[in-house]
Amino acid sequence: QRVIIDLKNEKKWNQIIAMGDKFLDVAASDDFTENALVIAYAETNNTRGFATYGEKAYAHKPSTALAMEISRAYQRLGNDAKYNQWREKVLAQDPENIDILIDMTQRYSASQNIAQALKYAKMCLKALPTATKPAEMNAQAWKSKVDSGYAVAYGLIGANAYQNNNFTEAITNFASSVKYYKNNDSAYYHMGLSYWRQNKLDPAMLNFAKAYLLRGATSAAAKKYLD
């Protein structure tokens, strides 16, 4: 341990890795060495090594910060199963982590796992009102993140309501979504469709017009309905 401390002070990370790996072959549960290897692998940008020893260090001393870093390591490695597993561990200790809640909502939505996406969207809406701004983040960046969370969550819930022909609920949630992201052409387009299906033509035309003018992916379809 004295040698490792000296090497850490000298920032000789590769020597710590070489020594620590050999030492753990004969002392597999030595958490001091595991923690030193976690730092060394992080400092040398060895993502796989960091993830491996990070898991071992977490088993001895769980922490939200370490779980978050392990999840990011697996994200960089492209291991979605492990990434999701460690994101869940973060949420178990920090259920109001809106970074993860927004990310999980978007990921499950993209993979068409609507049940899971809705679960995280609802968790996100519950967490956002009391979420605390990180000290290192400025007020504008925090507002953008919070607004994004609301827009994504309400938009997903609205889309699910629309797919289930619950047009009143769809309109309510899409309207909430565009309060936080005014350029959401898909929300305006589906509000237009929802009003159309209820034979409410004036608000249908208004929302189709907004979707058309935003020139997004729904612009051409919105124009057809508007005409």
Side-chain angles (χ1 to χ4, degrees):
Q1 288 185 12
R2 182 68 258 169
V3 172
I4 287 176
I5 290 170
D6 289 341
L7 291 173
K8 284 172 67 177
N9 290 336
E10 296 170 13
K11 301 187 185 302
K12 294 182 178 178
W13 309 115
N14 287 319
Q15 287 181 245
I16 291 175
I17 290 170
M19 179 184 295
D21 280 338
K22 290 179 181 178
F23 183 72
L24 288 178
D25 286 341
V26 294
S29 61
D30 184 75
D31 59 341
F32 177 88
T33 306
E34 286 174 356
N35 289 331
L37 284 169
V38 170
I39 296 169
Y41 278 119
E43 290 290 342
T44 54
N45 295 314
N46 186 323
T47 305
R48 193 172 300 280
F50 173 82
T52 298
Y53 285 101
E55 287 203 32
K56 293 179 180 181
Y58 183 89
H60 291 130
K61 188 176 181 180
S63 77
T64 306
L66 180 56
M68 175 70 87
E69 291 305 317
I70 294 170
S71 75
R72 288 172 177 161
Y74 281 120
Q75 183 182 24
R76 290 193 293 274
L77 291 169
N79 188 331
D80 285 343
K82 280 282 194 177
Y83 172 67
N84 289 336
Q85 175 190 340
W86 282 91
R87 288 282 184 160
E88 291 285 2
K89 289 182 185 292
V90 175
L91 285 177
Q93 299 177 62
D94 183 14
E96 295 188 352
N97 189 309
I98 63 171
D99 278 327
I100 292 182
L101 292 172
I102 295 170
D103 181 67
M104 296 296 260
T105 300
Q106 292 174 317
R107 279 177 167 266
Y108 281 118
S109 177
S111 65
Q112 299 300 306
N113 188 336
I114 302 304
Q116 284 292 92
L118 285 170
K119 167 189 166 183
Y120 287 106
K122 291 173 181 176
M123 289 173 66
C124 192
L125 291 179
K126 183 178 179 181
L128 281 167
T130 57
T132 303
K133 182 182 79 66
E136 68 276 9
M137 183 177 289
N138 66 50
Q140 185 56 48
W142 175 246
K143 183 180 184 304
S144 295
K145 185 178 291 294
V146 170
D147 287 352
S148 174
Y150 277 120
V152 167
Y154 279 125
L156 178 70
I157 295 170
N160 183 67
Y162 177 81
Q163 290 298 323
N164 288 295
N165 297 322
N166 189 340
F167 302 119
T168 299
E169 182 181 342
I171 291 166
T172 298
N173 282 282
F174 283 132
S176 294
S177 181
V178 297
K179 285 180 183 177
Y180 297 98
Y181 178 50
K182 297 186 183 302
N183 292 333
N184 190 342
D185 66 291
S186 179
Y188 288 120
Y189 175 66
H190 285 91
M191 272 197 285
L193 290 175
S194 297
Y195 281 120
W196 175 278
R197 296 286 294 272
Q198 292 178 327
N199 202 33
K200 297 178 179 178
L201 300 187
D202 285 344
M205 286 191 290
L206 176 62
N207 283 282
F208 284 137
K210 289 179 179 179
Y212 166 66
L213 290 171
L214 285 168
R215 303 295 182 183
T218 64
S219 182
K223 180 66 162 56
K224 290 180 180 178
Y225 277 101
L226 185 59
D227 288 343

